[in-house]
Amino acid sequence: MIRPATPADLPAIHALIRELAEYERALEEAKATEEQLHEALFGSGPAAYAHVATDDSTGAVIGYAIWFLNFSTWRGVHGIYLEDLYVRPTARGGGHGKALLTALARICVERGYQRLEWSVLNWNTPAIDFYEALGARPQDEWTVYRLTDEALAKASGTS
């Protein structure tokens, strides 16, 4: 089952975020706390949204998608940027990942959004194969850039 996340899901989502970070070989970079996630997802001005996949027999959270709105100046409408999609390895193959993406695609269509986008690590061939089987295509002509930590402070002129 796929449903919007609730505050009660935060411990499970936080644990899954850490599992994803470990899988992506970057656990030390996963610094978000449950409190930060609560504010981002359920605070007075949510910055992001989450859906969870639950086990059909136990109801336990076994996967999640965290997303936020982006905007296309070329199309003139919002889209969804999928920040994380993760399903526990023990639950993979049960259709939960596809169901999470289907739920987000449905939101796009219902709200008139024209894009559902995300990034995937180049070495993550199981995820790439999964996404391409759904009809997603890589945007090879774009390179993602990121400012963090000291570089972000320097670029802001505050360091």
Side-chain angles (χ1 to χ4, degrees), residues 89-126:
T90 56
R92 291 184 188 154
H96 298 89
K98 182 178 181 181
L100 283 163
L101 280 173
T102 298
L104 297 185
R106 188 173 298 119
I107 290 169
C108 285
V109 170
E110 289 171 355
R111 297 181 187 178
Y113 305 161
Q114 295 185 9
R115 289 183 180 166
L116 172 56
E117 298 178 310
W118 61 92
S119 297
V120 61
L121 291 165
N122 293 333
W123 56 260
N124 193 348
T125 53

Side-chain angles (χ1 to χ4, degrees), residues 17 36 52 76 130 139:
I17 288 170
Q36 288 172 313
V52 294
F130 168 68
Q139 301 298 299

Side-chain angles (χ1 to χ4, degrees), residues 7 13 15 19 25-26 31 33 36 39 52 64-65 77-81 85 93-94 123 128 130 138 146 151:
I13 292 171
E19 284 182 29
R25 306 172 190 155
K31 298 177 183 179
T33 66
Q36 288 172 313
E39 182 61 28
V52 294
Y64 75 99
V77 296
H78 281 295
I80 287 178
Y81 186 84
L85 175 72
W123 56 260
I128 291 168
F130 168 68
R146 179 178 294 158

Side-chain angles (χ1 to χ4, degrees), residues 19 62 86-93:
E19 284 182 29
I62 55 172
Y86 182 73
V87 175
R88 282 210 159 109
T90 56
R92 291 184 188 154

